[in-house]
C-alpha cells in the first residue's frame, strides 16, 4: 500500500525556523511535492523535488532523499500567516495512471507571536 | 499562474437528491483532472482521475455509480454525487493538471457539501 507519514502538529514562534518531515512508502515515485492549505481553502503548491537535494523558493525550502524515502519542508522567518496545514504528496505512476498525487497525513503548523 | 474554479462553493441538499459539482480550468487546457475528498482535519483522498473524452478511473473503494464523473471538454469536469446521504457530506476538491507547468496540479477552491 501507499503511506506518507508526517507529524500531526508543530508549534513555533514568529521569526523562527521550522522543519516538517515526511517519510513515504509508495509503489511508484516521480517526485515529492509540498502543499499549504489554510482552513477551508484550496491546497496551494509550494515546492517540488524530483531529485535528491535541496530546492529553495524564497522562505521555503524542500529537501529530498530518495534512498531514505524521506523529505522535509523548511520554513524560515515564520510569519503568522504561515499558520496552516502542510501536506507532502508523492507524485507517481499508480495503477497505470501518471502524475497522480498521494497525500501525506498532514501537519498543522501553529505560529505564535 | 494556472487557475481552477469550482462551482458551487457550498451546497446543502436533502438526503436522496443528486448534486453536481463543476470544475473548470480557466486559463489552460486540462486533459486530466482529479477529484479529491477531504473530511475535517484529515488529508486529501483521491477519488478518481478524470480524462477528457474517456471514462474516469476510480480509486479502490470509491463507488463509480455513486460518484459520476464527466470530462466532456478540455476545461470542464463534473462530479455528480447521486442519491446523496449524510455520510457523503464532505469537502470536495478538484485539481487540473497543467502540462505546460511541469505537469503540476492546480487545485480548485473546493465545494463543501452538506447532506441533511
Amino acid at each position: 500500500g501507499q503511506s506518507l507519514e508526517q507529524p500531526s502538529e508543530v508549534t513555533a514562534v514568529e521569526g523562527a525556523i521550522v522543519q516538517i518531515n515526511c517519510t513515504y512508502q509508495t509503489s511508484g515515485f516521480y517526485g515529492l511535492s509540498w502543499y499549504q492549505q489554510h482552513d477551508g481553502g484550496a491546497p496551494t503548491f509550494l515546492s517540488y523535488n524530483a531529485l535528491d537535494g535541496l530546492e529553495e523558493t524564497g522562505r521555503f525550502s524542500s529537501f529530498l532523499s530518495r534512498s531514505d524515502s524521506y523529505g522535509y519542508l523548511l520554513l524560515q522567518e515564520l510569519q503568522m500567516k504561515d499558520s496552516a496545514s502542510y501536506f507532502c504528496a508523492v507524485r507517481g505512476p499508480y495503477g497505470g495512471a501518471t502524475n497522480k498525487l498521494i497525500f501525506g497525513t498532514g501537519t498543522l503548523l501553529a505560529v505564535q507571536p | 499562474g494556472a487557475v481552477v474554479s469550482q462551482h458551487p462553493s457550498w451546497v446543502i441538499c436533502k438526503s436522496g437528491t443528486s448534486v453536481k459539482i463543476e470544475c473548470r480550468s480557466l486559463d489552460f487546457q486540462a486533459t486530466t483532472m482529479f477529484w479529491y475528498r477531504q473530511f475535517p482535519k484529515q488529508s486529501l483522498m483521491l477519488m478518481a482521475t478524470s480524462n477528457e473524452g474517456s471514462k474516469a478511473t476510480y480509486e479502490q473503494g470509491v463507488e463509480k455509480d455513486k460518484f459520476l464523473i464527466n470530462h466532456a471538454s478540455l476545461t470542464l469536469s463534473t462530479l455528480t454525487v447521486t442519491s446523496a446521504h449524510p455520510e457523503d457530506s464532505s469537502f470536495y476538491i478538484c485539481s487540473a493538471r497543467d502540462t505546460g507547468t511541469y505537469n503540476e496540479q492546480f487545485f480548485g477552491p473546493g465545494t463543501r457539501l452538506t447532506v441533511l
Side-chain angles (χ1 to χ4, degrees):
Chain A
Q2 329 279 9
S3 71
L4 290 86
E5 297 295 327
Q6 301 177 233
S8 59
E9 294 184 18
V10 173
T11 302
V13 297
E14 265 188 304
I17 300 173
V18 71
Q19 178 174 313
I20 299 174
N21 298 320
C22 173
T23 56
Y24 60 89
Q25 185 174 5
T26 58
S27 60
F29 185 85
Y30 278 164
L32 186 70
S33 299
W34 288 92
Y35 290 84
Q36 178 192 63
Q37 185 183 33
H38 285 97
D39 193 29
T44 56
F45 170 75
L46 293 177
S47 187
Y48 173 64
N49 294 71
L51 303 174
D52 291 350
L54 190 68
E55 291 286 338
E56 297 181 76
T57 310
R59 294 189 297 117
F60 297 163
S61 302
S62 58
F63 172 82
L64 174 66
S65 170
R66 288 174 296 171
S67 60
D68 295 323
S69 297
Y70 164 76
Y72 66 72
L73 179 69
L74 193 71
L75 297 85
Q76 303 181 72
E77 301 173 15
L78 280 175
Q79 302 175 9
M80 297 296 290
K81 67 178 182 180
D82 296 329
S83 294
S85 291
Y86 292 83
F87 295 92
C88 61
V90 167
R91 184 194 297 188
Y94 304 112
T98 59
N99 290 289
K100 288 168 59 171
L101 286 174
I102 304 297
F103 279 81
T105 51
T107 299
L108 181 61
L109 171 64
V111 180
Q112 297 178 340
Chain B
V3 180
V4 176
S5 70
Q6 271 185 251
H7 178 80
S9 56
W10 60 269
V11 57
I12 301 173
C13 69
K14 293 182 179 179
S15 185
T17 60
S18 295
V19 174
K20 180 185 283 188
I21 302 170
E22 294 185 349
C23 177
R24 294 182 185 272
S25 56
L26 298 186
D27 51 1
F28 66 101
Q29 293 183 330
T31 55
T32 304
M33 292 184 175
F34 302 89
W35 288 96
Y36 296 84
R37 184 174 181 174
Q38 186 178 33
F39 291 107
K41 301 191 184 302
Q42 293 190 20
S43 187
L44 284 79
M45 185 193 77
L46 180 64
M47 299 175 66
T49 302
S50 171
N51 298 297
E52 188 267 336
S54 64
K55 290 183 178 180
T57 304
Y58 291 82
E59 295 300 301
Q60 192 173 6
V62 177
E63 300 176 60
K64 62 179 181 180
D65 294 330
K66 180 166 187 62
F67 299 100
L68 301 179
I69 291 173
N70 183 276
H71 194 157
S73 78
L74 288 172
T75 59
L76 174 64
S77 175
T78 61
L79 168 69
T80 301
V81 183
T82 62
S83 187
H85 291 284
E87 57 266 29
D88 299 323
S89 298
S90 188
F91 194 48
Y92 292 88
I93 309 174
C94 72
S95 72
R97 185 164 68 96
D98 182 5
T99 55
T101 313
Y102 307 106
N103 288 314
E104 190 52 60
Q105 288 187 32
F106 294 89
F107 287 80
T111 297
R112 187 160 303 282
L113 170 63
T114 301
V115 184
L116 303 177

